Amino acid sequence: MMKKIGVFPGSFDPFTKGHENIIERFLPLFDVIIIGVGGNTSKKYMYSKEVRINHIKSIFEYEPKIVVEPYTGLTVDFCQEKKAQYLLRGLRNTTDFNYEKSIALMNKQLKGIETLFLMTDEGLSHISSTIIRDIAKNNGDLTPFVTNSDKLII
Ligand code: ADP
């Protein structure tokens, strides 16, 4: 049987408990989930790709179904290269929805890849990487929002 492979793409600057929750809930549906750590060339990141990848790897160290990999270029091309049939995304609110809807339709039209969405669990929808970066810059405590936050070295 063909393996069910899903790609969860993002910049993950940094990876939060919100992202972690989405992955954990998608996990029973897939044989393999590839967390694709992308990088938009026009965007500046707080954490290097290496730090972001090692941080995510440390969180899922004991889960053999999860693979963490960097990628550049179009997300759909990465999916095709990895033989993934599905793109996985999380939705927090209507802003996420409106943005994700266009991208999902474009990706379907480009390569026929379906996107699956899970709504964020209660109590996690306020967590955003942007706010976490702000807390980090001001030496605040990241532990309520990020697992293994000690791995996030600037
Ligand atoms: P991108 O730069 O591609 O938007 P992000 O790292 O910001 O990447 O987000 C990756 C995915 O995780 C997106 O689908 C986003 O909606 C989702 N996400 C982000 N924060 C949360 C959260 N707190 N709960 C659920 N999903 C989230």
Side-chain angles (χ1 to χ4, degrees):
M1 256 242 308
M2 198 165 65
K3 271 193 176 174
K4 281 214 175 64
I5 305 173
V7 164
F8 185 59
S11 38
F12 309 121
D13 190 33
F15 192 89
T16 71
K17 288 188 180 177
H19 297 130
E20 194 177 337
N21 172 260
I22 296 291
I23 294 273
E24 279 168 355
R25 289 159 61 216
F26 269 124
L27 208 52
L29 303 175
F30 288 91
D31 298 305
V32 178
I33 290 182
I34 300 165
I35 302 177
V37 183
N40 188 326
T41 37
S42 63
K43 228 165 134 182
K44 276 252 176 218
Y45 295 98
M46 177 157 175
Y47 300 102
S48 71
K49 219 175 212 186
E50 197 188 358
V51 165
R52 283 181 272 149
I53 288 172
N54 288 335
H55 170 238
I56 303 170
K57 280 186 175 168
S58 79
I59 299 172
F60 297 110
E61 209 172 0
Y62 301 104
E63 182 44 76
K65 284 164 72 176
I66 295 177
V67 179
V68 189
E69 281 190 28
Y71 78 95
T72 48
L74 287 179
T75 306
V76 283
D77 289 338
F78 180 62
C79 290
Q80 214 168 30
E81 182 195 321
K82 295 289 161 191
K83 301 195 170 21
Q85 307 90 342
Y86 297 98
L87 260 170
L88 315 177
R89 298 288 282 178
L91 289 178
R92 286 168 291 188
N93 46 46
T94 50
T95 313
D96 274 356
F97 174 80
N98 288 327
Y99 174 71
E100 296 289 342
K101 187 182 165 203
S102 322
I103 297 182
L105 292 174
M106 297 273 275
N107 285 338
K108 174 106 188 236
Q109 199 175 343
L110 274 172
K111 300 272 167 152
I113 290 183
E114 296 283 6
T115 305
L116 305 183
F117 298 98
L118 275 176
M119 296 297 301
T120 187
D121 262 344
E122 219 177 347
L124 293 169
S125 64
H126 62 296
I127 300 179
S128 83
S129 298
T130 311
I131 299 172
I132 286 169
R133 288 196 297 276
D134 235 30
I135 298 172
K137 274 180 210 148
N138 294 291
N139 300 314
D141 180 18
L142 300 187
T143 54
F145 314 110
V146 179
T147 302
N148 293 355
S149 57
D150 57 306
K151 297 282 193 299
L152 289 175
I153 303 142
I154 298 169

